[in-house]
Coordinates of all heavy atoms in Angstrom, one line a residue:
M886 N 143.0 319.7 22.4 CA 143.4 318.5 21.7 C 142.8 318.5 20.3 O 141.6 318.6 20.1 CB 142.9 317.2 22.5 CG 143.0 316.0 21.8 SD 142.5 314.4 22.6 CE 141.4 314.9 23.8
K887 N 143.7 318.3 19.3 CA 143.2 318.3 18.0 C 142.9 316.9 17.5 O 143.6 315.9 18.0 CB 144.3 318.9 17.0 CG 144.4 320.4 17.1 CD 143.2 321.0 16.5 CE 143.2 322.5 16.4 NZ 142.1 323.1 15.8
S888 N 142.0 316.7 16.6 CA 141.7 315.4 16.1 C 142.8 315.0 15.2 O 143.5 315.7 14.5 CB 140.4 315.6 15.2 OG 140.2 314.4 14.5
K889 N 143.1 313.7 15.2 CA 144.1 313.1 14.4 C 143.5 312.3 13.2 O 144.2 311.4 12.6 CB 145.0 312.1 15.2 CG 145.7 312.8 16.3 CD 146.5 311.9 17.1 CE 147.2 312.5 18.3 NZ 147.9 311.6 19.2
I890 N 142.2 312.5 12.9 CA 141.5 311.7 12.0 C 142.2 311.8 10.6 O 142.3 310.8 9.9 CB 140.0 312.0 11.9 CG1 139.4 311.6 13.2 CG2 139.3 311.4 10.7 CD1 137.9 311.9 13.4
R891 N 142.5 313.1 10.2 CA 143.1 313.2 8.8 C 144.5 312.5 8.7 O 144.7 311.9 7.7 CB 143.3 314.7 8.5 CG 142.0 315.4 8.2 CD 142.2 316.8 7.7 NE 141.0 317.4 7.4 CZ 140.5 318.5 8.0 NH1 141.1 319.1 9.0 NH2 139.3 319.0 7.6
A892 N 145.3 312.6 9.8 CA 146.6 311.9 9.8 C 146.4 310.4 9.7 O 147.0 309.7 9.0 CB 147.4 312.3 11.0
R893 N 145.4 309.9 10.5 CA 145.1 308.5 10.5 C 144.6 308.0 9.2 O 144.9 306.9 8.7 CB 144.1 308.1 11.6 CG 144.5 308.4 13.0 CD 145.5 307.4 13.5 NE 145.7 307.6 14.9 CZ 146.6 306.9 15.6 NH1 147.3 305.9 15.0 NH2 146.7 307.1 16.8
L894 N 143.7 308.8 8.5 CA 143.2 308.5 7.2 C 144.4 308.3 6.2 O 144.4 307.4 5.4 CB 142.2 309.5 6.7 CG 141.6 309.3 5.4 CD1 140.9 307.9 5.3 CD2 140.7 310.4 5.0
K895 N 145.3 309.2 6.3 CA 146.5 309.2 5.4 C 147.3 307.9 5.7 O 147.7 307.2 4.7 CB 147.3 310.4 5.6 CG 148.5 310.5 4.6 CD 149.2 311.8 4.8 CE 150.4 311.9 3.8 NZ 151.2 313.1 4.0
Q896 N 147.5 307.6 6.9 CA 148.2 306.4 7.3 C 147.5 305.1 6.8 O 148.2 304.2 6.2 CB 148.4 306.2 8.8 CG 149.3 307.2 9.4 CD 149.3 307.1 10.9 OE1 148.4 306.5 11.5 NE2 150.3 307.7 11.6
L897 N 146.2 305.1 6.9 CA 145.4 303.9 6.5 C 145.5 303.8 5.0 O 145.6 302.7 4.4 CB 144.0 304.0 6.9 CG 143.7 303.6 8.4 CD1 142.3 303.9 8.8 CD2 144.1 302.2 8.7
T898 N 145.4 304.9 4.3 CA 145.5 304.9 2.8 C 146.8 304.4 2.3 O 146.9 303.5 1.4 CB 145.3 306.3 2.3 OG1 144.0 306.8 2.7 CG2 145.2 306.3 0.7
T899 N 147.9 304.8 3.0 CA 149.2 304.3 2.7 C 149.4 302.8 2.9 O 149.9 302.1 2.1 CB 150.3 305.1 3.5 OG1 150.1 306.5 3.2 CG2 151.7 304.7 3.1
V900 N 148.9 302.4 4.1 CA 149.0 300.9 4.4 C 148.2 300.1 3.4 O 148.7 299.1 2.9 CB 148.5 300.7 5.9 CG1 148.2 299.2 6.1 CG2 149.4 301.3 6.9
R901 N 147.0 300.6 3.0 CA 146.2 299.9 2.1 C 146.9 299.7 0.7 O 146.9 298.7 0.1 CB 144.9 300.5 1.9 CG 143.9 299.7 1.1 CD 142.6 300.4 0.9 NE 141.6 299.5 0.3 CZ 141.7 298.9 -0.9 NH1 142.7 299.2 -1.7 NH2 140.7 298.2 -1.4
K902 N 147.5 300.8 0.3 CA 148.3 300.8 -1.0 C 149.4 299.8 -0.9 O 149.6 299.0 -1.9 CB 148.8 302.1 -1.3 CG 147.8 303.1 -1.8 CD 148.4 304.5 -2.1 CE 147.3 305.5 -2.5 NZ 147.8 306.8 -2.7
K903 N 150.1 299.7 0.2 CA 151.2 298.8 0.3 C 150.8 297.4 0.3 O 151.4 296.5 -0.3 CB 152.0 299.1 1.6 CG 152.9 300.3 1.6 CD 153.6 300.6 2.9 CE 154.4 301.8 2.8 NZ 155.1 302.1 4.1
V904 N 149.7 297.1 1.1 CA 149.1 295.7 1.1 C 148.6 295.3 -0.2 O 148.9 294.2 -0.7 CB 148.0 295.6 2.2 CG1 147.3 294.3 2.1 CG2 148.7 295.8 3.6
S905 N 147.9 296.2 -0.9 CA 147.4 295.9 -2.3 C 148.5 295.6 -3.3 O 148.4 294.8 -4.1 CB 146.5 297.1 -2.8 OG 145.4 297.2 -2.0
A906 N 149.6 296.4 -3.1 CA 150.7 296.2 -4.1 C 151.6 295.0 -3.8 O 152.3 294.5 -4.7 CB 151.6 297.5 -4.1
D907 N 151.5 294.4 -2.6 CA 152.3 293.3 -2.3 C 151.8 292.0 -3.1 O 150.7 291.7 -3.2 CB 152.1 293.0 -0.8 CG 153.1 292.0 -0.3 OD1 153.8 291.4 -1.1 OD2 153.2 291.8 1.0
N908 N 152.8 291.4 -3.7 CA 152.5 290.2 -4.6 C 152.2 289.0 -3.8 O 151.7 288.0 -4.3 CB 153.7 289.9 -5.5 CG 153.8 291.0 -6.5 OD1 152.9 291.7 -6.9 ND2 155.1 291.2 -7.0
N909 N 152.5 289.0 -2.5 CA 152.2 287.8 -1.7 C 150.7 287.7 -1.3 O 150.0 288.8 -1.3 CB 153.0 287.8 -0.4 CG 154.5 287.8 -0.6 OD1 154.9 287.0 -1.5 ND2 155.3 288.6 0.0
N910 N 150.2 286.5 -1.0 CA 148.8 286.4 -0.7 C 148.6 286.3 0.9 O 147.8 285.6 1.4 CB 148.3 285.1 -1.3 CG 148.1 285.3 -2.8 OD1 147.8 286.4 -3.2 ND2 148.2 284.2 -3.5
Y911 N 149.4 287.1 1.6 CA 149.2 287.2 3.0 C 149.1 288.6 3.4 O 149.4 289.5 2.6 CB 150.4 286.5 3.8 CG 151.7 287.3 3.7 CD1 151.8 288.5 3.1 CD2 152.8 286.8 4.3 CE1 153.1 289.2 3.1 CE2 154.0 287.5 4.2 CZ 154.1 288.7 3.7 OH 155.3 289.4 3.6
V912 N 148.7 288.9 4.6 CA 148.5 290.3 5.0 C 149.4 290.5 6.2 O 149.6 289.6 7.1 CB 147.1 290.5 5.4 CG1 146.9 292.0 5.9 CG2 146.2 290.3 4.2
D913 N 150.1 291.7 6.2 CA 150.9 292.0 7.3 C 150.1 292.2 8.6 O 149.2 293.1 8.7 CB 151.7 293.3 6.9 CG 152.6 293.8 8.0 OD1 153.2 293.0 8.7 OD2 152.7 295.0 8.2
K914 N 150.4 291.4 9.6 CA 149.7 291.4 10.8 C 149.7 292.8 11.5 O 148.7 293.3 12.0 CB 150.2 290.4 11.8 CG 149.5 290.2 13.1 CD 150.1 289.1 13.9 CE 149.4 288.9 15.2 NZ 149.9 287.8 15.9
S915 N 150.9 293.4 11.5 CA 151.0 294.7 12.2 C 150.1 295.8 11.5 O 149.6 296.7 12.2 CB 152.5 295.2 12.3 OG 153.0 295.4 11.0
S916 N 150.0 295.7 10.2 CA 149.1 296.6 9.5 C 147.7 296.5 9.9 O 147.0 297.5 10.2 CB 149.2 296.4 8.0 OG 150.5 296.7 7.5
Y917 N 147.2 295.3 10.0 CA 145.9 295.0 10.5 C 145.7 295.5 11.9 O 144.6 296.0 12.3 CB 145.5 293.6 10.3 CG 144.9 293.3 9.0 CD1 145.5 292.6 8.0 CD2 143.6 293.8 8.6 CE1 145.0 292.4 6.8 CE2 143.1 293.6 7.4 CZ 143.8 292.9 6.5 OH 143.2 292.7 5.2
I918 N 146.7 295.2 12.8 CA 146.6 295.7 14.1 C 146.5 297.2 14.2 O 145.7 297.8 15.0 CB 147.8 295.2 15.0 CG1 147.6 293.6 15.1 CG2 147.9 295.9 16.3 CD1 148.8 293.0 15.7
N919 N 147.2 297.9 13.4 CA 147.2 299.4 13.3 C 145.8 299.8 12.9 O 145.2 300.8 13.5 CB 148.2 299.9 12.4 CG 149.6 299.9 12.9 OD1 149.8 299.8 14.1 ND2 150.6 299.9 12.1
M920 N 145.2 299.2 11.9 CA 143.8 299.5 11.5 C 142.8 299.2 12.6 O 141.9 300.0 12.8 CB 143.4 298.8 10.2 CG 144.2 299.3 9.0 SD 143.6 298.6 7.5 CE 144.1 297.0 7.6
I921 N 143.0 298.1 13.3 CA 142.1 297.8 14.4 C 142.2 298.9 15.5 O 141.2 299.4 16.0 CB 142.4 296.4 14.9 CG1 141.9 295.4 13.9 CG2 141.6 296.2 16.3 CD1 142.4 294.0 14.2
D922 N 143.4 299.2 15.8 CA 143.7 300.3 16.8 C 143.0 301.6 16.4 O 142.4 302.3 17.3 CB 145.2 300.5 17.1 CG 145.8 299.3 17.8 OD1 145.1 298.5 18.4 OD2 147.0 299.2 17.8
F923 N 143.1 301.9 15.2 CA 142.5 303.2 14.7 C 141.0 303.1 14.9 O 140.4 304.1 15.4 CB 142.8 303.4 13.2 CG 141.9 304.4 12.6 CD1 142.1 305.8 12.8 CD2 140.9 304.0 11.7 CE1 141.3 306.7 12.2 CE2 140.1 305.0 11.2 CZ 140.3 306.3 11.4
N924 N 140.4 302.0 14.5 CA 138.9 301.9 14.6 C 138.5 301.9 16.1 O 137.5 302.5 16.4 CB 138.5 300.6 14.0 CG 138.5 300.7 12.5 OD1 137.9 301.6 11.9 ND2 139.1 299.8 11.8
I925 N 139.3 301.3 17.0 CA 139.0 301.4 18.4 C 139.1 302.8 18.9 O 138.2 303.3 19.6 CB 140.0 300.5 19.2 CG1 139.7 299.0 18.9 CG2 139.9 300.8 20.7 CD1 140.8 298.1 19.5
E926 N 140.1 303.6 18.4 CA 140.2 305.0 18.8 C 139.0 305.8 18.4 O 138.5 306.6 19.1 CB 141.5 305.5 18.3 CG 141.8 307.0 18.7 CD 143.1 307.5 18.1 OE1 144.0 306.7 17.8 OE2 143.3 308.7 18.0
V927 N 138.6 305.6 17.1 CA 137.5 306.3 16.6 C 136.2 306.0 17.3 O 135.5 306.9 17.7 CB 137.3 306.0 15.1 CG1 136.0 306.6 14.6 CG2 138.5 306.6 14.3
L928 N 136.0 304.7 17.6 CA 134.8 304.3 18.3 C 134.8 304.9 19.7 O 133.8 305.4 20.2 CB 134.7 302.8 18.4 CG 134.3 302.2 17.0 CD1 134.4 300.7 17.1 CD2 133.0 302.6 16.5
R929 N 135.9 304.9 20.4 CA 136.0 305.5 21.8 C 135.7 307.0 21.7 O 135.0 307.5 22.6 CB 137.4 305.2 22.4 CG 137.6 303.8 22.9 CD 138.9 303.7 23.6 NE 139.1 302.3 24.1 CZ 140.2 301.7 24.2 NH1 141.3 302.3 23.8 NH2 140.3 300.5 24.6
D930 N 136.2 307.6 20.7 CA 136.0 309.0 20.6 C 134.5 309.3 20.4 O 133.9 310.2 21.0 CB 136.8 309.6 19.4 CG 137.0 311.1 19.4 OD1 137.0 311.7 20.5 OD2 137.1 311.6 18.3
L931 N 133.8 308.5 19.5 CA 132.4 308.7 19.3 C 131.6 308.4 20.5 O 130.6 309.0 20.8 CB 132.0 307.9 18.1 CG 132.5 308.4 16.7 CD1 132.1 307.4 15.6 CD2 132.0 309.7 16.4
V932 N 132.0 307.3 21.2 CA 131.3 306.9 22.4 C 131.3 308.1 23.5 O 130.3 308.4 24.1 CB 131.8 305.6 23.0 CG1 131.4 305.4 24.4 CG2 131.4 304.4 22.1
N933 N 132.5 308.6 23.6 CA 132.6 309.8 24.5 C 131.8 310.9 24.1 O 131.2 311.6 25.0 CB 134.1 310.2 24.6 CG 135.0 309.2 25.4 OD1 134.5 308.4 26.1 ND2 136.3 309.2 25.1
L934 N 131.7 311.2 22.8 CA 130.9 312.3 22.3 C 129.4 312.0 22.6 O 128.7 312.9 23.1 CB 131.1 312.5 20.8 CG 130.1 313.6 20.2 CD1 130.4 314.9 20.8 CD2 130.3 313.6 18.7
I935 N 129.0 310.8 22.3 CA 127.6 310.4 22.6 C 127.2 310.5 24.0 O 126.1 311.0 24.4 CB 127.3 309.0 22.0 CG1 127.4 309.1 20.4 CG2 125.9 308.5 22.4 CD1 127.4 307.8 19.8
S936 N 128.1 310.1 24.9 CA 127.9 310.1 26.3 C 127.8 311.6 26.8 O 126.9 311.9 27.6 CB 129.0 309.5 27.1 OG 129.1 308.1 26.8
A937 N 128.6 312.5 26.2 CA 128.5 313.9 26.6 C 127.2 314.5 26.1 O 126.6 315.3 26.8 CB 129.7 314.6 25.9
V938 N 126.7 314.1 24.9 CA 125.5 314.6 24.4 C 124.3 314.1 25.3 O 123.5 314.9 25.7 CB 125.2 314.2 23.0 CG1 123.8 314.4 22.5 CG2 126.2 314.8 22.0
N939 N 124.4 312.9 25.7 CA 123.4 312.3 26.6 C 123.4 313.0 28.0 O 122.3 313.1 28.6 CB 123.5 310.8 26.8 CG 123.1 310.1 25.5 OD1 122.3 310.6 24.7 ND2 123.7 308.9 25.3
R940 N 124.6 313.4 28.5 CA 124.7 314.1 29.8 C 124.3 315.6 29.6 O 124.3 316.3 30.6 CB 126.1 314.0 30.3 CG 126.6 312.7 30.8 CD 127.9 312.9 31.5 NE 128.9 313.7 30.8 CZ 129.8 313.2 30.0 NH1 129.9 311.9 29.7 NH2 130.7 314.0 29.4
D941 N 124.1 316.0 28.4 CA 123.9 317.4 28.1 C 125.1 318.3 28.5 O 125.0 319.4 29.0 CB 122.6 318.0 28.7 CG 122.1 319.2 28.1 OD1 122.4 319.5 26.9 OD2 121.5 320.0 28.8
D942 N 126.3 317.7 28.2 CA 127.6 318.4 28.6 C 128.0 319.2 27.4 O 128.8 318.8 26.5 CB 128.6 317.4 28.9 CG 129.9 318.0 29.4 OD1 130.1 319.2 29.2 OD2 130.8 317.2 29.9
Q943 N 127.4 320.4 27.3 CA 127.7 321.3 26.1 C 129.1 321.7 26.0 O 129.6 321.9 24.8 CB 126.7 322.5 26.1 CG 125.3 322.1 26.0 CD 124.4 323.3 26.1 OE1 124.8 324.4 26.3 NE2 123.1 323.0 26.0
E944 N 129.8 321.9 27.1 CA 131.2 322.3 27.0 C 132.1 321.2 26.4 O 132.9 321.5 25.5 CB 131.7 322.5 28.4 CG 133.2 323.0 28.5 CD 133.6 323.3 29.9 OE1 132.8 323.4 30.8 OE2 134.9 323.4 30.0
Y945 N 131.8 319.9 26.8 CA 132.6 318.8 26.2 C 132.3 318.7 24.7 O 133.2 318.5 23.8 CB 132.3 317.5 26.9 CG 133.1 316.3 26.3 CD1 134.3 316.0 26.9 CD2 132.6 315.6 25.2 CE1 135.0 314.9 26.4 CE2 133.3 314.5 24.7 CZ 134.5 314.2 25.3 OH 135.2 313.1 24.8
V946 N 131.0 318.8 24.3 CA 130.6 318.7 22.9 C 131.2 319.8 22.1 O 131.8 319.6 21.0 CB 129.1 318.6 22.8 CG1 128.7 318.7 21.3 CG2 128.5 317.4 23.5
S947 N 131.2 321.0 22.6 CA 131.8 322.1 21.9 C 133.3 321.9 21.7 O 133.8 322.2 20.6 CB 131.6 323.4 22.7 OG 130.2 323.8 22.7
K948 N 134.0 321.5 22.7 CA 135.4 321.2 22.6 C 135.7 320.1 21.6 O 136.7 320.2 20.9 CB 136.0 320.9 24.0 CG 136.2 322.1 24.9 CD 136.8 321.6 26.2 CE 136.9 322.8 27.2 NZ 137.5 322.4 28.5
W949 N 134.8 319.1 21.6 CA 135.0 318.0 20.7 C 134.9 318.5 19.2 O 135.8 318.2 18.4 CB 133.9 316.9 20.9 CG 134.1 315.6 20.3 CD1 134.8 314.5 20.8 CD2 133.7 315.2 18.9 NE1 134.8 313.5 19.9 CE2 134.2 313.9 18.7 CE3 133.1 315.9 17.9 CZ2 133.9 313.2 17.5 CZ3 132.8 315.2 16.7 CH2 133.3 313.9 16.5
F950 N 133.9 319.3 18.9 CA 133.8 319.8 17.6 C 134.9 320.9 17.2 O 135.2 321.0 16.1 CB 132.4 320.4 17.3 CG 131.4 319.3 17.1 CD1 130.5 318.9 18.0 CD2 131.3 318.7 15.8 CE1 129.6 317.9 17.8 CE2 130.4 317.7 15.5 CZ 129.5 317.3 16.5
D951 N 135.4 321.6 18.2 CA 136.4 322.6 18.0 C 137.7 321.9 17.4 O 138.4 322.6 16.7 CB 136.8 323.3 19.3 CG 135.8 324.4 19.7 OD1 134.9 324.7 18.8 OD2 135.8 324.8 20.8
R952 N 137.9 320.7 17.7 CA 139.1 320.0 17.2 C 139.1 319.9 15.6 O 140.1 319.8 15.0 CB 139.2 318.6 17.7 CG 139.3 318.5 19.2 CD 139.5 317.0 19.6 NE 138.4 316.2 19.2 CZ 138.4 314.9 19.1 NH1 139.4 314.2 19.5 NH2 137.3 314.2 18.7
F953 N 137.9 320.0 15.0 CA 137.8 319.9 13.6 C 137.8 321.2 12.8 O 137.7 321.2 11.6 CB 136.6 319.1 13.2 CG 136.6 317.7 13.9 CD1 135.9 317.5 15.0 CD2 137.3 316.7 13.3 CE1 135.9 316.2 15.6 CE2 137.4 315.5 13.9 CZ 136.6 315.2 15.1
R954 N 137.9 322.3 13.6 CA 137.8 323.6 12.9 C 139.2 323.9 12.2 O 140.2 323.7 12.8 CB 137.5 324.7 13.9 CG 136.1 324.6 14.4 CD 135.8 325.7 15.4 NE 134.7 325.3 16.2 CZ 133.5 325.8 16.1 NH1 133.2 326.7 15.2 NH2 132.5 325.4 16.8
E955 N 139.1 324.3 11.0 CA 140.3 324.7 10.3 C 140.8 326.0 10.8 O 140.0 327.0 11.1 CB 140.0 324.9 8.8 CG 139.4 323.6 8.1 CD 140.5 322.6 7.8 OE1 141.6 323.1 7.5 OE2 140.2 321.4 7.7
E956 N 142.1 326.1 10.9 CA 142.6 327.4 11.4 C 143.2 328.2 10.3 O 143.5 327.8 9.3 CB 143.8 327.1 12.4 CG 143.2 326.5 13.7 CD 144.3 326.3 14.8 OE1 145.4 326.8 14.6 OE2 144.0 325.5 15.7

């Protein structure tokens, strides 16, 4: 499983630009929900990594870091 962090970062950057460029003084609810979902996903990913480190599960930790290797 490859990390989607770069794709998510690009999505968040695009959403931020759209919200910043909007002349209205309100914020698109779905955009905020997407950002919240992203943060939840990142936190779950980190929690799983930390749990694996605490269990001394070297295989899981290695696979986790392998997702970030450039091919």
Side-chain angles (χ1 to χ4, degrees):
M886 167 181 20
K887 284 290 187 181
S888 170
K889 297 178 185 175
I890 291 176
R891 287 190 177 115
R893 297 285 191 183
L894 179 58
K895 185 175 180 180
Q896 288 174 346
L897 284 175
T898 304
T899 301
V900 168
R901 189 182 189 296
K902 287 178 184 177
K903 286 180 182 178
V904 171
S905 294
D907 192 349
N908 291 331
N909 296 317
N910 286 329
Y911 72 4
V912 177
D913 180 35
K914 184 177 180 178
S915 66
S916 296
Y917 270 111
I918 290 172
N919 286 337
M920 287 189 291
I921 290 168
D922 289 343
F923 166 76
N924 286 306
I925 289 169
E926 183 179 336
V927 169
L928 289 174
R929 283 184 180 148
D930 200 28
L931 291 174
V932 165
N933 290 336
L934 175 64
I935 292 166
S936 294
V938 168
N939 288 335
R940 289 190 313 268
D941 199 27
D942 186 348
Q943 293 177 1
E944 182 179 347
Y945 182 91
V946 173
S947 292
K948 286 181 181 178
W949 193 92
F950 280 103
D951 282 346
R952 297 183 305 162
F953 301 99
R954 294 181 200 255
E955 299 280 331
E956 291 182 16

